[in-house]
Amino acid sequence: MTLDSRLSRMLHMLIHIDLHDGRATSETIAQMLGTNPVVVRRMMAGLREQGYVEAVRGPHGGWKLARDLADITVLDVHNALGSPSLFAVGLAVDHPDCPVERSVNAALGEIFEDAEARVTSRYGKITLADLIPG
Amino acid sequence: MTLDSRLSRMLHMLIHIDLHDGRATSETIAQMLGTNPVVVRRMMAGLREQGYVEAVRGPHGGWKLARDLADITVLDVHNALGSPSLFAVGLAVDHPDCPVERSVNAALGEIFEDAEARVTSRYGKITLADLIPG
DNA sequence: AAAATCATAACAGAAGGGGTTACATTCTCT
DNA sequence: AGAGAATGTAACCCCTTCTGTTATGATTTT
């Protein structure tokens, strides 16, 4: 796949941890996603630093949720993943002094900012508890 | 730059061709963008196939606009560039049968589709003539 | 002390894009 | 016809990003 699907996978992970008694090892999660435990730890690092999950070392350790799913929004997860921009389209900055480039970038930039604001606004209104199927 | 800025650069190119008597060689455009003539031809290929520009070979050749800038929208250019998706975020499809994955993807998918529809709608209302500074 | 588990660095491989070279093709001009 | 100017396109390299993997260290439980 050419698109960055980390947000989707991370939400998937967190909800499964919750459904799994709030505890799961990197190994377990990795098998669930068909990937490697190290990849899971890398992805989890941002969420750990932001206080959404805690890592417990040693036997019977693993990941546990530091908050209720109802207290974590999709926006929280998005930000914790360090997503730089939502858009696959950016603005060229080849000639910052060119009036044409400035005009083009002003028009596109406004559209992007508006769309990004709408998406993050909706992200902020969805908690992970809302995503539990049922 | 990590983001795909082809749309922005292509709009820039087309407007400059127009301001340059409607004619410009790949060499000229490449110098303007600080890139290579082959890169320009590659980018132009889609627009040529869609009939927005024409390539004239031989001496005094180059690219010319096949339509007035007022008759080309940003959406036309976006589509001609073959942009697959506007978003840098995608949906994981690791477990199509998993209810959690389906629930997550349904929620995110709706947000993306809505945002994408808004952006393309606005793209469709802006012609390249609108972007000429002045 | 042993085992389980996370933390992290390091490296390999795949994928995508851009830049470049090379060569073929087409067209104009003399 | 021939020279030269331009596009068309394939092929290659390089760079970046992401993922997967291995290896080593640190921490915790038993």
Side-chain angles (χ1 to χ4, degrees):
Chain A
M1 84 203 87
T2 169
L3 294 177
D4 175 358
S5 56
R6 274 180 297 183
L7 177 61
S8 167
R9 292 170 90 184
M10 181 57 78
L11 296 172
H12 192 179
M13 278 194 228
L14 294 172
I15 293 168
H16 269 299
I17 293 174
D18 182 73
L19 298 177
H20 201 268
D21 296 328
R23 268 293 182 55
T25 65
S26 300
E27 180 64 39
T28 304
I29 298 170
Q31 285 176 3
M32 195 179 77
L33 272 90
T35 183
N36 193 288
V38 179
V39 175
V40 172
R41 293 189 191 111
R42 268 202 296 242
M43 291 178 67
M44 284 292 203
L47 278 92
R48 185 191 59 221
E49 287 158 12
Q50 301 296 318
Y52 298 113
V53 296
E54 287 171 13
V56 180
R57 293 177 172 201
H60 304 107
W63 297 96
K64 70 177 181 185
L65 296 173
R67 295 201 199 175
D68 194 275
L69 286 193
D71 295 326
I72 305 177
T73 67
V74 174
L75 181 58
D76 292 332
V77 178
H78 169 77
N79 288 336
L81 287 176
S83 312
S85 173
L86 228 32
F87 286 93
V89 179
L91 303 176
V93 285
D94 302 315
H95 296 279
D97 296 335
C98 170
V100 174
E101 182 174 297
R102 279 215 291 261
S103 172
V104 167
N105 285 353
L108 296 186
E110 195 205 321
I111 294 176
F112 294 163
E113 284 168 22
D114 177 76
E116 180 146 350
R118 282 185 172 273
V119 170
T120 54
S121 164
R122 293 185 68 178
Y123 276 0
K125 290 172 184 154
I126 303 175
T127 75
L128 271 56
D130 298 328
L131 297 175
I132 298 172
Chain B
M1 79 203 90
T2 169
L3 295 177
D4 177 356
S5 56
R6 276 180 297 183
L7 176 61
S8 167
R9 292 170 89 187
M10 181 57 79
L11 296 173
H12 191 179
M13 279 194 228
L14 294 172
I15 293 168
H16 269 299
I17 294 175
D18 181 72
L19 297 178
H20 201 270
D21 295 328
R23 269 288 182 57
T25 65
S26 300
E27 179 65 39
T28 304
I29 299 170
Q31 285 177 3
M32 195 178 77
L33 272 90
T35 183
N36 193 288
V38 178
V39 175
V40 173
R41 292 187 194 112
R42 268 203 296 241
M43 291 178 69
M44 284 293 203
L47 278 91
R48 186 191 57 221
E49 286 158 12
Q50 301 297 317
Y52 298 113
V53 296
E54 288 170 13
V56 179
R57 294 180 173 201
H60 304 107
W63 297 94
K64 70 176 181 185
L65 298 173
R67 294 201 199 176
D68 194 275
L69 286 192
D71 295 327
I72 306 176
T73 69
V74 174
L75 181 58
D76 292 331
V77 178
H78 169 78
N79 288 335
L81 287 176
S83 311
S85 172
L86 228 31
F87 286 93
V89 179
L91 303 175
V93 285
D94 302 316
H95 297 279
D97 296 336
C98 170
V100 174
E101 182 175 296
R102 278 215 292 261
S103 172
V104 167
N105 286 352
L108 296 186
E110 194 205 322
I111 294 177
F112 295 163
E113 285 169 21
D114 175 74
E116 180 147 350
R118 283 187 173 273
V119 170
T120 54
S121 164
R122 293 185 68 178
Y123 276 0
K125 291 173 185 154
I126 302 176
T127 74
L128 271 57
D130 297 329
L131 296 174
I132 298 174

